[in-house]
Amino acid sequence: MSTVTETGRRFRPASARGFRKPDQNRRPVWEEKPSWYGQFGKGSVITVVMLLILVPVWGVVLTSFSDKGSINSAGGGLVLIPHGLSLQNYQLIFSGGTVSRALFVTVLITVVGTAISMVVSVLCAYGLSRSSSFAQRPVLMTLVVTMFFNGGIIPTFLVVNDLKLYGSLWALILPSAVNVFNILVLRAFFTGTASELIEAARLDGASEWRVLWSVVVPTSRAVIAVITMFYAVAYWGTFFNAILYESENATNNPLAVVIYDYTLLGTTMPGMGTTGVGGLAQASQTGLSMATVTLSLIPIVVLTPFVQRHFAKGMLTGAVKG
Amino acid sequence: MAAITTQEAEASTQRRRLGVGRAKAKGPKQQRLNWRIRLRRDKTLLLMCLPALILIVLFNYLPMAGIIIAFENYDIYQGLIHSQFVGLANFQEALTDPGFWQAFQNTLVIAAVQLVLYFPIPIVLALLVNTILSPRIKSFIQAIVFLPHFFSYVLVITMFQEFLGGAGVLNVFLNKHGISSWNIMTDPGTFKYLVTAQAVWKEAGWGLIVFLAALAAIDNSLYEAAAVDGAGRWRRMRHITLPGLRGIVVLMLVLRLGNALSVGFEQMLIQRQAVGASAADVLDTYSYIYSGLGGGFGGTTSIGGSYSYGAAVGVFKGVLSLVLILSANKIAHMFGEDGLYRR
């Protein structure tokens, strides 16, 4: 019975088609057909949940593409039904003011930070992947302890200050470069899925570096993609560290801090009047800040679907074995 | 050969950790090599761990040593060693400050509200999504509900502000229909529900992953057998699905209880000015603001705020959190579940 359900629709013999309708062919035979109101209830709950997520994103993105007139007619708030589209908001924020600078800073720390974090984490995860190796357990414990206890904000701030990182972009990268949970996920994957391949490669005389680069990295692409995304998202959303370490150096503010300033604190965007594209008169603060928010949403919305199918795999190797 | 020994070692550590089956361990006892030989053999592996270790020591262990300032009257010019030692004075000061107790109470209340209102949602959603047969629709739904997890709290709160704030969609609509506006974003009374709603919006979809995986791990033949025996949809859910989820639910509860004192630091900080300190201060924000560093968030240095004072509150919270994690884990063990440290 189960063989029939597992066979693809296209390959089923014509005779089998008579027994059940095609849209039923994935439902196990023993399961009763759901009632129409059950189906309807389930469908509407899921639709509502998805709308609760999609409508805000839609509102933000649409407002960022709207001209001042349509934002004003929406009472100065979000535009939910499109009319009067324009790219003006983007022209303004890209014309080299605070937002352009913040975008540059954010991209820089995301790219450099993610690269550093990944190199450090993959190396460490591989270094810890053999349970019989020298000092493996003490090193692992050293890392794990930090998941449960840390010095707190103030002592960390003082250390960063003493290391002369205060006010430098490195302060946004180095203190958060290592995430122990991510290392544990990678390690669990290396010890589990890749372990036999690793042993085979070592028997063939490959050095550890060679094994890591030619065997481990290619076979663990899925989990590496997931962890890269985790790190990148964390750097992309950097907020508190910037508040803590860059407060005297506004040119180092990342996007999140700029968004906080302009949308939540309501500071007027500087440079709005000085730009040549039309200045203050044509722009709306809401439009500009929503354009900034959209900039910060785009990479996430574009990239998530590509990595999405690996999430479960990446998370679960960590959750189950970590 | 090498593969076998590694696995053997893995298995034996596993056994040792579990404390079972030691007597039953089969095969010749693995010979432990001299540490010098092992060091020479594994030096590359150790070298690979070095960068991460350096970063961890610098930014996690050095600050732990810096906890000393909580017992000092720290002066940045005199440094860690030469600052005046004051014992528990900073803690005493905190424990007599009503603001501290307000922050403590807020932390517990918000954590409790989140536990009750947030925790069941991913489970219910997972049960719903799990009944969808088409893998395409399933993955489409997941792609959408996962999204907010990757938005930072600044973005999440901005969106809430644009919808529920003073000039937001809701109030524009209310005003248009002659109803007086209600600015949820600045209402201290409902703040605990607001932050819970934000947490649900951001994380509930992501919470699905774990429960969906647990659901997928339940043996389908159990359902088949139950159905053949005449158990209906609800009885199958009660007697197969829910017991199948028990382990993961306990684990998630333990994690949540362990982190109970760390309710959304950034989230509270960002909204502190809008709703006021008495509603938004939690232990973390209190520690930060009263260290004198958080001037930008309506903080003040005049009420005895100092690095030492902030650090003392941080230590108080850290120790309490550790106790919470360990006891939550103990409870999990009592329930016969694995809890946190099986690693």
Side-chain angles (χ1 to χ4, degrees), chain B residues 190-214:
Chain B
T190 52
F191 185 66
K192 45 184 176 292
Y193 304 110
L194 176 69
V195 288
T196 306
Q198 287 162 350
V200 168
W201 194 80
K202 186 176 185 312
E203 301 294 352
W206 184 247
L208 277 184
I209 281 194
V210 195
F211 295 111
L212 278 180

Side-chain angles (χ1 to χ4, degrees), chain A residues 32 42 52 134 142 320 322, chain B residues 42 61 131 201 233 342-343:
Chain A
E32 53 277 66
K42 185 170 86 184
L52 280 177
F134 182 74
T142 311
V320 174
Chain B
D42 296 328
Y61 281 91
T131 58
W201 194 80
R233 200 172 280 283
R342 208 171 29 137
R343 38 177 91 86

